[in-house]
Amino acid sequence: MSLTALLPFIVLIGAMFLMTRSAKKKQAAAASMRNEMQPGTGVRTIGGMYATVKELHDDAVVLEVAPGVHAIYAKNAIGAVLDDAEYNRIVHGDGDGDDIDGAIVPDDASSLTEAAGADEPVEADADDDSSDKAKIDLGKKAEADDVEPKDEPKDEPKDAKADEKADGEADAK
């Protein structure tokens, strides 16, 4: 065999070697990151949930997802171990003012129906002519009332025998 016939196989084997090598490096980095976890460390799961590590076991981690709420996760479910400053910035909002215009988001929708600083619901502006507009009628259209129903074709007069037959019986001729 010539070298040109073996060249595609050599390239394929080299590409496979490089791909497995980089995948192994990523797996080793993730494993070392998970091994560096300590109780009290902030983490992000692969599902995007932020929590604090409470206990470490061989293949599992106990996470505090809310004050007093603990959940058990596999170590492989930890996507990132965060340093304290980043965890506090993300979870508690502590940081260097990354808030958008300092907007305060209310816990409920009451602020959408109440005027700012007032206990009465917000009314439409006086110059708004929306109340002058005719209300939309969601009932039948008037045109539908004017249409007469179609007359059904009139058949021959019924026999007296047909009336005496029970349902499901057919005429036998």
Side-chain angles (χ1 to χ4, degrees):
M1 290 184 111
S2 68
L3 184 61
T4 56
L6 294 176
L7 188 62
F9 294 111
I10 294 171
V11 170
L12 182 64
I13 291 172
M16 288 175 38
F17 173 74
L18 292 175
M19 284 189 278
T20 57
R21 185 174 158 212
S22 65
K24 284 182 181 180
K25 281 185 178 179
K26 287 181 184 179
Q27 286 178 347
S32 67
M33 178 242 346
R34 290 183 188 113
N35 290 333
E36 292 174 3
M37 285 189 297
Q38 299 296 325
T41 305
V43 296
R44 182 184 69 234
T45 65
I46 57 174
M49 182 180 65
Y50 292 92
T52 305
V53 176
K54 285 298 173 188
E55 297 177 20
L56 292 169
H57 300 287
D58 292 336
D59 293 330
V61 180
V62 177
L63 300 178
E64 185 175 32
V65 295
V69 179
H70 298 125
I72 300 173
Y73 279 81
K75 275 190 178 180
N76 293 340
I78 304 301
V81 177
L82 308 172
D83 60 348
D84 290 338
E86 184 179 4
Y87 180 77
N88 288 332
R89 181 185 60 81
I90 293 170
V91 175
H92 302 295
D94 298 342
D96 43 43
D98 290 341
D99 297 335
I100 301 172
D101 297 331
I104 298 173
V105 179
D107 290 340
D108 58 2
S110 63
S111 64
L112 300 175
T113 59
E114 295 178 359
D119 292 334
E120 298 179 16
V122 176
E123 298 294 329
D125 293 336
D127 54 84
D128 186 16
D129 59 87
S130 63
S131 60
D132 297 340
K133 294 180 181 176
K135 292 186 179 181
I136 298 173
D137 183 22
L138 298 177
K140 284 185 170 181
K141 293 183 180 179
E143 300 166 1
D145 294 338
D146 297 339
V147 176
E148 295 180 17
K150 295 181 180 178
D151 292 334
E152 294 182 14
K154 295 188 178 183
D155 295 333
E156 299 114 27
K158 295 182 180 179
D159 307 354
K161 293 181 183 178
D163 292 338
E164 295 174 4
K165 293 181 184 177
D167 291 336
E169 292 182 9
D171 289 331
K173 292 188 180 180

Short mmCIF file of all heavy atoms in Angstrom, two decimals, residues 121-155:
data_model
loop_
_atom_site.label_atom_id
_atom_site.label_comp_id
_atom_site.label_asym_id
_atom_site.label_seq_id
_atom_site.Cartn_x
_atom_site.Cartn_y
_atom_site.Cartn_z
N PRO A 121 -57.95 53.23 43.07
CA PRO A 121 -57.52 52.71 41.77
C PRO A 121 -57.32 53.82 40.76
O PRO A 121 -57.93 54.88 40.85
CB PRO A 121 -58.66 51.80 41.34
CG PRO A 121 -59.50 51.58 42.55
CD PRO A 121 -59.23 52.70 43.48
N VAL A 122 -56.45 53.57 39.81
CA VAL A 122 -56.16 54.55 38.78
C VAL A 122 -57.35 54.62 37.83
O VAL A 122 -57.85 53.61 37.37
CB VAL A 122 -54.89 54.14 38.00
CG1 VAL A 122 -54.64 55.10 36.85
CG2 VAL A 122 -53.71 54.10 38.93
N GLU A 123 -57.82 55.81 37.54
CA GLU A 123 -58.92 56.02 36.62
C GLU A 123 -58.37 56.48 35.28
O GLU A 123 -57.26 56.97 35.18
CB GLU A 123 -59.88 57.09 37.16
CG GLU A 123 -60.53 56.72 38.48
CD GLU A 123 -61.47 55.53 38.36
OE1 GLU A 123 -62.08 55.36 37.28
OE2 GLU A 123 -61.58 54.76 39.32
N ALA A 124 -59.17 56.34 34.24
CA ALA A 124 -58.76 56.79 32.91
C ALA A 124 -58.67 58.31 32.91
O ALA A 124 -59.38 59.00 33.64
CB ALA A 124 -59.77 56.32 31.87
N ASP A 125 -57.78 58.85 32.08
CA ASP A 125 -57.64 60.29 31.98
C ASP A 125 -58.93 60.93 31.49
O ASP A 125 -59.68 60.35 30.71
CB ASP A 125 -56.51 60.66 31.00
CG ASP A 125 -55.17 60.23 31.55
OD1 ASP A 125 -55.06 60.09 32.79
OD2 ASP A 125 -54.24 60.02 30.74
N ALA A 126 -59.19 62.15 31.94
CA ALA A 126 -60.43 62.84 31.56
C ALA A 126 -60.43 63.16 30.08
O ALA A 126 -61.47 63.16 29.44
CB ALA A 126 -60.59 64.11 32.38
N ASP A 127 -59.25 63.46 29.52
CA ASP A 127 -59.22 63.81 28.11
C ASP A 127 -59.19 62.57 27.21
O ASP A 127 -59.21 62.68 26.00
CB ASP A 127 -58.01 64.71 27.80
CG ASP A 127 -56.72 64.07 28.26
OD1 ASP A 127 -56.18 63.25 27.51
OD2 ASP A 127 -56.28 64.41 29.37
N ASP A 128 -59.16 61.37 27.81
CA ASP A 128 -59.19 60.15 27.02
C ASP A 128 -60.61 59.90 26.56
O ASP A 128 -61.53 59.82 27.36
CB ASP A 128 -58.69 58.97 27.89
CG ASP A 128 -58.56 57.70 27.09
OD1 ASP A 128 -58.55 57.78 25.84
OD2 ASP A 128 -58.46 56.64 27.72
N ASP A 129 -60.82 59.75 25.27
CA ASP A 129 -62.16 59.60 24.74
C ASP A 129 -62.54 58.14 24.58
O ASP A 129 -63.45 57.81 23.83
CB ASP A 129 -62.31 60.35 23.40
CG ASP A 129 -61.33 59.85 22.37
OD1 ASP A 129 -61.62 58.93 21.68
OD2 ASP A 129 -60.25 60.39 22.25
N SER A 130 -61.88 57.23 25.31
CA SER A 130 -62.19 55.82 25.17
C SER A 130 -63.57 55.50 25.72
O SER A 130 -64.22 54.56 25.27
CB SER A 130 -61.14 54.97 25.87
OG SER A 130 -61.15 55.25 27.25
N SER A 131 -64.06 56.29 26.71
CA SER A 131 -65.39 56.02 27.26
C SER A 131 -66.48 56.47 26.30
O SER A 131 -67.62 56.04 26.40
CB SER A 131 -65.55 56.71 28.61
OG SER A 131 -65.39 58.11 28.45
N ASP A 132 -66.14 57.37 25.37
CA ASP A 132 -67.12 57.86 24.41
C ASP A 132 -67.33 56.87 23.27
O ASP A 132 -68.34 56.94 22.57
CB ASP A 132 -66.67 59.21 23.82
CG ASP A 132 -66.59 60.28 24.91
OD1 ASP A 132 -67.23 60.08 25.96
OD2 ASP A 132 -65.88 61.27 24.68
N LYS A 133 -66.41 55.97 23.07
CA LYS A 133 -66.52 55.04 21.97
C LYS A 133 -67.65 54.05 22.24
O LYS A 133 -67.93 53.69 23.38
CB LYS A 133 -65.21 54.26 21.78
CG LYS A 133 -64.08 55.15 21.34
CD LYS A 133 -62.83 54.33 21.17
CE LYS A 133 -61.67 55.22 20.76
NZ LYS A 133 -60.42 54.48 20.69
N ALA A 134 -68.29 53.60 21.17
CA ALA A 134 -69.38 52.64 21.31
C ALA A 134 -68.80 51.30 21.75
O ALA A 134 -67.73 50.89 21.33
CB ALA A 134 -70.11 52.49 19.99
N LYS A 135 -69.55 50.63 22.59
CA LYS A 135 -69.12 49.32 23.06
C LYS A 135 -69.33 48.31 21.94
O LYS A 135 -70.25 48.41 21.15
CB LYS A 135 -69.90 48.91 24.29
CG LYS A 135 -69.57 49.78 25.49
CD LYS A 135 -70.26 49.27 26.71
CE LYS A 135 -69.90 50.13 27.91
NZ LYS A 135 -70.53 49.65 29.13
N ILE A 136 -68.49 47.34 21.92
CA ILE A 136 -68.57 46.31 20.89
C ILE A 136 -69.61 45.29 21.30
O ILE A 136 -69.62 44.79 22.42
CB ILE A 136 -67.20 45.62 20.70
CG1 ILE A 136 -66.18 46.65 20.25
CG2 ILE A 136 -67.31 44.47 19.72
CD1 ILE A 136 -64.77 46.09 20.20
N ASP A 137 -70.51 44.97 20.38
CA ASP A 137 -71.54 43.97 20.63
C ASP A 137 -71.00 42.61 20.20
O ASP A 137 -70.62 42.41 19.05
CB ASP A 137 -72.81 44.31 19.83
CG ASP A 137 -73.92 43.33 20.11
OD1 ASP A 137 -73.88 42.68 21.19
OD2 ASP A 137 -74.84 43.21 19.28
N LEU A 138 -70.94 41.71 21.16
CA LEU A 138 -70.40 40.39 20.87
C LEU A 138 -71.49 39.37 20.57
O LEU A 138 -71.23 38.18 20.47
CB LEU A 138 -69.55 39.91 22.05
CG LEU A 138 -68.33 40.77 22.35
CD1 LEU A 138 -67.62 40.24 23.57
CD2 LEU A 138 -67.39 40.81 21.17
N GLY A 139 -72.73 39.83 20.44
CA GLY A 139 -73.84 38.93 20.15
C GLY A 139 -73.94 38.64 18.67
O GLY A 139 -73.04 38.90 17.88
N LYS A 140 -75.10 38.10 18.27
CA LYS A 140 -75.32 37.79 16.86
C LYS A 140 -75.40 39.06 16.06
O LYS A 140 -75.82 40.10 16.55
CB LYS A 140 -76.64 37.04 16.69
CG LYS A 140 -76.59 35.61 17.08
CD LYS A 140 -77.92 34.98 16.72
CE LYS A 140 -77.90 33.50 16.87
NZ LYS A 140 -79.17 32.90 16.50
N LYS A 141 -75.03 38.95 14.83
CA LYS A 141 -75.14 40.10 13.93
C LYS A 141 -76.60 40.27 13.53
O LYS A 141 -77.35 39.31 13.45
CB LYS A 141 -74.29 39.89 12.68
CG LYS A 141 -72.81 39.87 12.98
CD LYS A 141 -72.03 39.74 11.71
CE LYS A 141 -70.55 39.72 12.00
NZ LYS A 141 -69.78 39.56 10.78
N ALA A 142 -77.00 41.50 13.28
CA ALA A 142 -78.38 41.79 12.90
C ALA A 142 -78.71 41.15 11.56
O ALA A 142 -79.84 40.77 11.30
CB ALA A 142 -78.60 43.30 12.84
N GLU A 143 -77.73 41.01 10.69
CA GLU A 143 -77.95 40.41 9.38
C GLU A 143 -78.41 38.97 9.51
O GLU A 143 -79.22 38.49 8.73
CB GLU A 143 -76.67 40.45 8.56
CG GLU A 143 -76.16 41.84 8.32
CD GLU A 143 -74.74 41.83 7.80
OE1 GLU A 143 -74.17 40.73 7.62
OE2 GLU A 143 -74.19 42.91 7.58
N ALA A 144 -77.93 38.27 10.52
CA ALA A 144 -78.28 36.87 10.69
C ALA A 144 -79.75 36.72 11.07
O ALA A 144 -80.37 35.71 10.77
CB ALA A 144 -77.39 36.23 11.74
N ASP A 145 -80.33 37.70 11.74
CA ASP A 145 -81.73 37.64 12.13
C ASP A 145 -82.64 37.81 10.92
O ASP A 145 -83.77 37.31 10.91
CB ASP A 145 -82.05 38.72 13.17
CG ASP A 145 -81.31 38.46 14.48
OD1 ASP A 145 -80.92 37.29 14.72
OD2 ASP A 145 -81.13 39.43 15.24
N ASP A 146 -82.21 38.56 9.91
CA ASP A 146 -83.04 38.83 8.74
C ASP A 146 -83.12 37.65 7.80
O ASP A 146 -84.04 37.54 7.01
CB ASP A 146 -82.50 40.05 7.97
CG ASP A 146 -82.54 41.31 8.82
OD1 ASP A 146 -83.33 41.32 9.80
OD2 ASP A 146 -81.79 42.25 8.52
N VAL A 147 -82.18 36.75 7.85
CA VAL A 147 -82.15 35.63 6.92
C VAL A 147 -83.19 34.60 7.35
O VAL A 147 -83.25 34.20 8.52
CB VAL A 147 -80.74 34.99 6.90
CG1 VAL A 147 -80.73 33.77 6.01
CG2 VAL A 147 -79.72 36.01 6.45
N GLU A 148 -84.01 34.19 6.41
CA GLU A 148 -85.03 33.19 6.72
C GLU A 148 -84.42 31.81 6.54
O GLU A 148 -83.62 31.58 5.64
CB GLU A 148 -86.22 33.36 5.77
CG GLU A 148 -86.94 34.67 5.98
CD GLU A 148 -88.12 34.80 5.02
OE1 GLU A 148 -88.54 33.76 4.46
OE2 GLU A 148 -88.59 35.91 4.85
N PRO A 149 -84.85 30.87 7.36
CA PRO A 149 -84.31 29.52 7.20
C PRO A 149 -84.81 28.91 5.90
O PRO A 149 -85.91 29.20 5.44
CB PRO A 149 -84.85 28.77 8.41
CG PRO A 149 -86.01 29.56 8.90
CD PRO A 149 -85.76 30.98 8.49
N LYS A 150 -83.96 28.07 5.32
CA LYS A 150 -84.33 27.42 4.07
C LYS A 150 -85.44 26.42 4.34
O LYS A 150 -85.46 25.73 5.36
CB LYS A 150 -83.12 26.69 3.47
CG LYS A 150 -82.03 27.61 3.04
CD LYS A 150 -80.91 26.80 2.45
CE LYS A 150 -79.78 27.70 1.99
NZ LYS A 150 -78.66 26.92 1.46
N ASP A 151 -86.37 26.36 3.37
CA ASP A 151 -87.45 25.37 3.50
C ASP A 151 -86.89 24.01 3.12
O ASP A 151 -86.18 23.85 2.13
CB ASP A 151 -88.61 25.72 2.56
CG ASP A 151 -89.31 26.98 3.01
OD1 ASP A 151 -89.25 27.26 4.23
OD2 ASP A 151 -89.90 27.67 2.17
N GLU A 152 -87.23 23.02 3.94
CA GLU A 152 -86.80 21.67 3.63
C GLU A 152 -87.67 21.14 2.51
O GLU A 152 -88.86 21.47 2.42
CB GLU A 152 -86.93 20.79 4.86
CG GLU A 152 -85.98 21.19 5.97
CD GLU A 152 -86.10 20.27 7.17
OE1 GLU A 152 -86.70 19.18 7.02
OE2 GLU A 152 -85.59 20.62 8.22
N PRO A 153 -87.14 20.34 1.62
CA PRO A 153 -87.96 19.80 0.54
C PRO A 153 -89.10 18.96 1.12
O PRO A 153 -88.89 18.18 2.04
CB PRO A 153 -87.00 18.96 -0.28
CG PRO A 153 -85.81 18.76 0.58
CD PRO A 153 -85.79 19.85 1.57
N LYS A 154 -90.23 19.18 0.58
CA LYS A 154 -91.40 18.47 1.09
C LYS A 154 -91.50 17.13 0.38
O LYS A 154 -91.48 17.07 -0.84
CB LYS A 154 -92.66 19.29 0.87
CG LYS A 154 -92.64 20.57 1.68
CD LYS A 154 -93.95 21.26 1.62
CE LYS A 154 -93.89 22.52 2.47
NZ LYS A 154 -95.13 23.22 2.54
N ASP A 155 -91.58 16.09 1.16
CA ASP A 155 -91.73 14.74 0.61
C ASP A 155 -93.21 14.43 0.45
O ASP A 155 -94.08 15.20 0.84
CB ASP A 155 -91.08 13.72 1.54
CG ASP A 155 -89.58 13.93 1.62
OD1 ASP A 155 -89.01 14.46 0.65
OD2 ASP A 155 -88.99 13.58 2.65
#
